[in-house]
Amino acid sequence: MGWEKIGSVILLAGMLIFIFPRMRQAIKHSPKGSFQDWKGFLIPLVAVILFIMLLISMVQ
Amino acid sequence: MYQNERVISHSAESVLATNKVLRNTYALLSMTLVFSAVAAFIGVAMNLSYGMALVADIVAIVILWFVLPRTANSAAGIPVVFAFTGLLGLGLGPVLNYYLAVNPAIVMTALGGTGVIFLGLSAYALTTRKDFSFMAAFLMVGMFVVLGAALLNIFLGMPALFLALNAAVVMIMSGFILYQTSAIIHGGETNYIMATASLFLSILNLFQALLHLLGAFGNND
């Protein structure tokens, strides 16, 4: 394993360690979304997916 | 009567404060994006190695975690955020060099695509004024899973997993843009320097993921 790979492993492992307590805190304290809330997120997400499919067809 | 006037006055102050954070965030974000683009151009021109790019990324992450939170409430936060975004821009050098050699159209399409997605999602969050604070746990868990899978893929080296991770990153970063913009609108984020760093990171990750997706699907070799 080259030192670049070791560096990437250290960086990603560090990020995981850093994010873990924040993730636990977010799970415990963030408000729960209703069906309407999730719909409000899914609509732009579908638009993003369709847009990326358009971009992929453009570069092919 | 006096009570009502106080409520209205407090509400107006709150709206003004929110608009100020939003305006400052977008002003600083546009400046850091230009600065980062210049740094990325230098990285490309210098033909920066992957090792040096990794060092730049590690230093940028250290700044984000340990220096920026300590300086974000003072004027010192501004040069720090420029250092952070500049280093991340510089770190893009080798990836950009690779895709520019393969197909320069991919880089321009990814750049334009990122801009359209960011502006579209920001406009959606700003016009609907929806509160996306419920997404915090979903986004953090998603990010944790993606980072864990990316770590695993360093050893596995599976191209299909790499692509799936990039597709997941696009979705998670789209969610982060909505979440962060909504946090600014609803007063959850009152520090424009932290808001800028967070939005910048989402845009950068979105751009890189889009670059990899377009590179994989758009390369007919």
Side-chain angles (χ1 to χ4, degrees), chain B residues 7 13 34 44 58 108 112 116 145 173 176 199:
Chain B
V7 169
E13 275 174 26
V34 171
V44 169
I58 290 173
M108 298 320 290
V116 169
V145 171
M173 292 308 139
F176 267 117
L199 283 174

Short mmCIF file of all heavy atoms in Angstrom, two decimals, chain B residues 7 13 34 44 58 108 112 116 145 173 176 199:
data_model
loop_
_atom_site.label_atom_id
_atom_site.label_comp_id
_atom_site.label_asym_id
_atom_site.label_seq_id
_atom_site.Cartn_x
_atom_site.Cartn_y
_atom_site.Cartn_z
N VAL B 7 -43.63 42.56 19.62
CA VAL B 7 -43.56 41.31 18.87
C VAL B 7 -43.25 41.59 17.41
O VAL B 7 -42.38 40.98 16.79
CB VAL B 7 -44.88 40.50 19.02
CG1 VAL B 7 -44.91 39.34 18.04
CG2 VAL B 7 -45.03 40.00 20.44
N GLU B 13 -36.88 42.56 13.18
CA GLU B 13 -35.44 42.48 13.45
C GLU B 13 -34.90 41.11 13.05
O GLU B 13 -33.82 40.99 12.48
CB GLU B 13 -35.17 42.70 14.94
CG GLU B 13 -35.06 44.15 15.33
CD GLU B 13 -34.96 44.32 16.84
OE1 GLU B 13 -34.48 43.39 17.51
OE2 GLU B 13 -35.39 45.37 17.32
N VAL B 34 -14.67 31.84 -6.48
CA VAL B 34 -13.73 32.42 -7.47
C VAL B 34 -12.29 32.12 -7.02
O VAL B 34 -11.46 31.68 -7.82
CB VAL B 34 -13.97 33.95 -7.63
CG1 VAL B 34 -12.87 34.58 -8.47
CG2 VAL B 34 -15.33 34.22 -8.25
N VAL B 44 -3.81 22.83 -11.55
CA VAL B 44 -3.76 22.21 -12.88
C VAL B 44 -2.48 22.62 -13.59
O VAL B 44 -1.76 21.79 -14.16
CB VAL B 44 -5.02 22.61 -13.72
CG1 VAL B 44 -4.86 22.21 -15.17
CG2 VAL B 44 -6.27 21.97 -13.12
N ILE B 58 -6.01 17.34 3.43
CA ILE B 58 -5.90 17.05 4.88
C ILE B 58 -5.75 18.36 5.66
O ILE B 58 -6.43 18.57 6.67
CB ILE B 58 -4.74 16.07 5.17
CG1 ILE B 58 -5.09 14.67 4.63
CG2 ILE B 58 -4.44 15.99 6.67
CD1 ILE B 58 -3.97 13.64 4.70
N MET B 108 -16.41 20.94 -18.09
CA MET B 108 -17.29 22.09 -18.28
C MET B 108 -18.74 21.72 -17.97
O MET B 108 -19.48 22.49 -17.36
CB MET B 108 -17.17 22.63 -19.72
CG MET B 108 -15.79 23.14 -20.09
SD MET B 108 -14.93 24.04 -18.80
CE MET B 108 -15.87 25.53 -18.73
N GLY B 112 -20.98 23.42 -15.05
CA GLY B 112 -22.29 24.03 -15.35
C GLY B 112 -23.40 23.32 -14.59
O GLY B 112 -24.31 23.96 -14.05
N VAL B 116 -26.09 24.84 -11.91
CA VAL B 116 -27.56 24.77 -12.10
C VAL B 116 -28.22 24.08 -10.90
O VAL B 116 -29.24 24.56 -10.38
CB VAL B 116 -27.89 24.02 -13.43
CG1 VAL B 116 -29.38 23.69 -13.51
CG2 VAL B 116 -27.46 24.84 -14.63
N VAL B 145 -22.35 6.56 6.27
CA VAL B 145 -22.35 5.32 5.48
C VAL B 145 -21.46 5.48 4.24
O VAL B 145 -20.66 4.59 3.91
CB VAL B 145 -23.80 4.92 5.08
CG1 VAL B 145 -23.82 3.77 4.09
CG2 VAL B 145 -24.60 4.56 6.33
N MET B 173 -25.43 15.63 -0.97
CA MET B 173 -25.03 17.04 -1.07
C MET B 173 -26.20 17.94 -1.48
O MET B 173 -26.31 19.07 -1.03
CB MET B 173 -23.85 17.22 -2.03
CG MET B 173 -22.57 16.61 -1.51
SD MET B 173 -22.18 17.18 0.15
CE MET B 173 -21.63 15.69 0.93
N PHE B 176 -27.93 18.46 1.65
CA PHE B 176 -27.22 19.41 2.51
C PHE B 176 -27.45 20.86 2.05
O PHE B 176 -27.54 21.76 2.88
CB PHE B 176 -25.71 19.11 2.53
CG PHE B 176 -25.30 18.21 3.67
CD1 PHE B 176 -24.76 16.96 3.44
CD2 PHE B 176 -25.48 18.61 4.99
CE1 PHE B 176 -24.39 16.12 4.49
CE2 PHE B 176 -25.11 17.77 6.05
CZ PHE B 176 -24.56 16.53 5.79
N LEU B 199 -21.74 25.37 2.81
CA LEU B 199 -22.26 25.37 1.43
C LEU B 199 -21.14 25.11 0.42
O LEU B 199 -21.34 24.40 -0.56
CB LEU B 199 -22.96 26.70 1.12
CG LEU B 199 -24.36 26.87 1.70
CD1 LEU B 199 -24.89 28.28 1.44
CD2 LEU B 199 -25.34 25.86 1.12
#
